[in-house]
Amino acid sequence: MAALKLLAISGSARNGSLNGRLLAAAVQAASLRGAQVETIDLRSLALPLYDGDLEKSAGVPEGARRLRDALHVADGVLLATPEYNGFPTPLLVNSFDWLSRLQAEGTAPAGLAVTAGKPVGIVSASPGLLGGLRSLNFTRQYLSMAIAMMPVPQQFALWKAHEAFDEAGALKDAKQQASLEAVVNALVKVATALKAAR
Ligand SMILES: Cc1cc2nc3c(=O)[nH]c(=O)nc-3n(C[C@H](O)[C@H](O)[C@H](O)COP(=O)(O)O)c2cc1C
């Protein structure tokens, strides 16, 4: 069987993003388990804030098609997102909201057709003591209830994230690394089983 393909997504595109660093550690763990991981930069999709009038006049922006195509070829998704006031970020939600507006075009599937039943592992990082924990269930609910994805049960909130990484970008604490790997392991296991079942 061909290698498992994962798409890595961060809800923060900020330079030096803690979630970007956590995602990189998750990508490394997934790569060590034989997965081929592509990373997509949501900021590079240049998606404006969703606006129904804009959609009516100009259609769904090209960036949504790039996200659709990247998701289409992926067997699963690794997702890290900051918590903004208890919620996943506007960058993340806006990107998936635009994706959800994309209808099937010729042989290209609709946005929600490529997310339906796709497994996702969700993590978050914050300098705070809860590590973004409050947002994880909202992220999980949004991605499953509205976007039809299948979050694996394991999740990880990295607290005091600004102190958590060594200079090579690895998590210094072995327990935190094990928690991150538990999410990655579950994602790889579920995505591999679903790929084999197709
Ligand atoms: C608008 C806003 C709201 C925030 N709300 C929370 C919050 O509810 N919980 C939390 O732990 N951190 C919160 N933070 C702090 C972020 O966790 C912190 O900025 C973090 O570094 C953002 O992730 P990033 O480094 O990946 O960009 C908030 C930051 C911003 C800008």
Side-chain angles (χ1 to χ4, degrees):
M1 194 164 55
L4 191 73
K5 289 185 182 164
L6 299 180
L7 182 67
I9 302 176
S10 173
S12 170
R14 188 178 70 81
N15 281 330
S17 161
L18 297 169
N19 285 272
R21 291 161 80 177
L22 183 58
L23 187 66
V27 167
Q28 167 119 21
S31 301
L32 286 172
R33 285 154 181 79
Q36 278 179 5
V37 192
E38 295 291 327
T39 300
I40 191 162
D41 174 5
L42 293 182
R43 180 158 63 185
S44 78
L45 302 179
L47 290 165
L49 189 61
Y50 178 79
D51 178 331
D53 288 340
L54 181 64
E55 182 184 8
K56 198 171 173 188
S57 62
V60 178
E62 273 310 304
R65 293 184 179 81
R66 280 184 50 209
L67 181 57
R68 177 205 50 206
D69 293 347
L71 284 162
H72 189 35
V73 297
D75 301 305
V77 174
L78 271 172
L79 182 89
T81 184
E83 169 177 291
Y84 282 179
N85 297 315
F87 263 65
T89 59
L91 177 66
L92 179 75
V93 173
N94 188 56
S95 301
F96 278 86
D97 280 352
W98 273 117
L99 178 80
S100 76
R101 302 298 296 166
L102 205 50
Q103 303 301 308
E105 305 165 307
T107 56
L112 290 181
V114 302
T115 53
K118 190 147 290 182
V120 54
I122 306 168
V123 298
S124 68
S126 163
L129 289 179
L130 293 180
L133 183 64
R134 293 183 307 159
S135 67
L136 282 176
N137 282 340
F138 290 115
T139 306
R140 173 179 295 279
Q141 186 180 2
Y142 171 70
L143 291 176
S144 57
M145 176 271 296
I147 308 296
M149 298 183 82
M150 294 205 312
V152 297
Q154 291 79 359
Q155 59 189 21
F156 174 51
L158 177 64
W159 64 97
K160 289 193 177 183
H162 57 303
E163 299 172 356
F165 298 95
D166 67 19
E167 284 184 2
L171 285 170
K172 291 189 264 189
D173 185 278
K175 282 187 186 166
Q176 289 183 330
Q177 177 65 20
S179 297
L180 178 65
E181 287 182 17
V183 178
V184 173
N185 286 343
L187 175 65
V188 167
K189 192 172 171 183
V190 172
T192 301
L194 288 174
K195 181 178 163 73
R198 275 203 297 271

